[in-house]
Amino acid sequence: MDIAYWIVAALLAVFYLYAGGKKVAQSKEQLAPMMGWVDTVPMGAVRGIGAVEIFGAAGLILPPLTGIAPVLALVAALGLAVLQLLAGGLHLSRGEVKETGLNAALIVLAAVAAWLAVAR
């Protein structure tokens, strides 16, 4: 279970560090080709979402690694699942049904990470 957790957590952490880092560091113009929804959301919210993704990635890795408050890994995984539920809702409201596949996959991975965090 431990190895499975670290594999899933590492995959999620890499994804969210990349995606969150882009949202925090890049301009709306740079993000728009990859994330069309940034034109309809205030840039402060985009930056906030990026920060949540980065903190979620840290929450998946740091607490179990250090042994300090390991329950935070469960909280991070559940938070990332909620984030993706909201993102899927945004895509559906914009008529971007094809975009929700990634959201669904990330929800499943976050749920698996949450389950493994408890089962460890």
Side-chain angles (χ1 to χ4, degrees), residues 1-13 60-66 116 120:
M1 290 295 208
D2 222 23
I3 293 171
Y5 174 78
W6 285 111
I7 291 169
V8 173
L11 289 172
L12 284 170
L60 289 173
I61 302 299
L62 294 177
L65 186 65
T66 63
L116 289 169
R120 296 182 48 201

Side-chain angles (χ1 to χ4, degrees), residues 56-109:
L60 289 173
I61 302 299
L62 294 177
L65 186 65
T66 63
I68 300 170
V71 71
L72 291 178
L74 170 64
V75 173
L78 293 175
L80 291 172
V82 169
L83 178 70
Q84 288 307 313
L85 281 170
L86 296 171
L90 174 68
H91 287 301
L92 289 174
S93 74
R94 292 172 43 90
E96 301 169 342
V97 177
K98 290 182 180 180
E99 305 295 329
T100 60
L102 177 60
N103 300 117
L106 290 169
I107 290 167
V108 169
L109 281 174

